[in-house]
Amino acid sequence: AHNVLGEANAITSLGDVYLHRDRLEDAEASFERAVQLYRQAHDVLGEANAIKSLGRVSLRRDKLNDAEALLERAVQLHRQAHNVLGEANDIQLLGEVYLHRGELDPAQQMFDRALGLHQQAQSVLGEATDVYYLGEVYERREKLKEAHASLERAIDLYRHAHFVPGEAMVIEKLREVSLLLKDSQKSEALLLPDTKLCEQDEPSASGSM
């Protein structure tokens, strides 16, 4: 069993290299073999992680139904192994599947669920990515203030996790949302020229941004 497990771990590492190099067919073959070996070794956690990786490959290949089925299976196995972080990562990827389909309600539900689990697992990096994706959901819903707030929070979390690529990615997205927000505020001002007279005693809404 030890040799089988060693082989499974080696093939999983190879699959990760292929995935990183965008050799998706080779990655898929490696992870499929790893799933078989982990099953043979009765390693539930290893099997769950390999199935999640297969789900990631399917997502990258735009095979969304396959990705959804694999990730739901990974959730079950991570739950069985009492691995909260693994379950959180699976659910985050499920959110990505729904986002790719433009199904914003289930996407938001998944990212909210993943966020709670990442907080439970004390994974700041996972939490940052959940909050980033929630910002993307809000942007697609044209809830630009909520999107802006989510992205600002994601930047803080990535900084806390010392993950510079994540921070850079969110800063780019925040710039895009800020421009959209300015445009929408200008449009509102053009549509409602008399609002300043009505609201002169109230603090500016944009002051809180």
Side-chain angles (χ1 to χ4, degrees), residues 147-149 151-152 155 169-179:
H148 196 280
L151 293 169
E152 284 191 325
I155 288 171
M169 171 184 73
V170 184
I171 286 169
E172 192 58 42
K173 174 62 79 174
L174 188 62
R175 196 172 288 136
E176 181 187 308
V177 169
S178 295
L179 288 170

Side-chain angles (χ1 to χ4, degrees), residues 2 4 9 14 36 49 55 59-60 84 93 96 98 100 107-108 149 154-155 159 161 181 196 200-201 208:
H2 181 70
V4 172
N9 289 337
L14 185 62
Q36 292 169 352
N49 289 334
L59 179 58
R60 289 267 285 274
V84 175
L93 282 168
E96 286 188 55
Y98 291 126
H100 271 67
Q108 186 168 349
I155 288 171
R159 272 185 194 147
L181 196 54
K196 283 183 182 174
Q200 59 188 4
D201 297 327
S208 63

Side-chain angles (χ1 to χ4, degrees), residues 5-152:
L5 206 51
E7 190 185 345
N9 289 337
I11 288 172
T12 299
S13 297
L14 185 62
D16 288 334
V17 170
Y18 286 140
L19 189 58
H20 185 67
R21 290 181 180 170
D22 225 30
R23 288 172 58 179
L24 299 181
E25 284 183 21
D26 292 329
E28 189 170 50
S30 296
F31 294 133
E32 280 174 350
R33 178 70 182 131
V35 169
Q36 292 169 352
L37 291 167
Y38 282 124
R39 209 169 277 161
Q40 200 178 317
H42 305 290
D43 185 327
V44 175
L45 185 55
E47 186 184 345
N49 289 334
I51 289 173
K52 180 201 75 182
S53 295
L54 275 173
R56 192 186 289 276
V57 171
S58 292
L59 179 58
R60 289 267 285 274
R61 296 177 84 179
D62 221 30
K63 294 162 78 174
L64 300 182
N65 290 344
D66 290 350
E68 184 179 13
L70 286 160
L71 292 166
E72 283 175 351
R73 178 68 184 136
V75 168
Q76 290 171 349
L77 290 170
H78 275 123
R79 208 171 278 161
Q80 194 180 320
H82 305 290
N83 189 283
V84 175
L85 182 57
E87 187 184 342
N89 291 337
D90 301 335
I91 290 169
Q92 184 186 86
L93 282 168
L94 272 169
E96 286 188 55
V97 170
Y98 291 126
L99 200 56
H100 271 67
R101 284 189 188 143
E103 296 174 6
L104 299 183
D105 284 344
Q108 186 168 349
Q109 286 167 13
M110 290 298 125
F111 295 131
D112 278 331
R113 270 179 67 192
L115 180 59
L117 290 167
H118 277 126
Q119 286 170 338
Q120 195 180 321
Q122 298 182 319
S123 169
V124 177
L125 195 54
E127 196 181 333
T129 305
D130 298 326
V131 171
Y132 165 76
Y133 278 124
L134 283 168
E136 197 164 312
V137 170
Y138 286 132
E139 184 195 6
R140 292 211 200 171
R141 290 188 187 280
E142 298 184 0
K143 293 183 169 181
L144 297 177
K145 286 182 182 177
E146 289 90 336
H148 196 280
S150 281
L151 293 169
E152 284 191 325

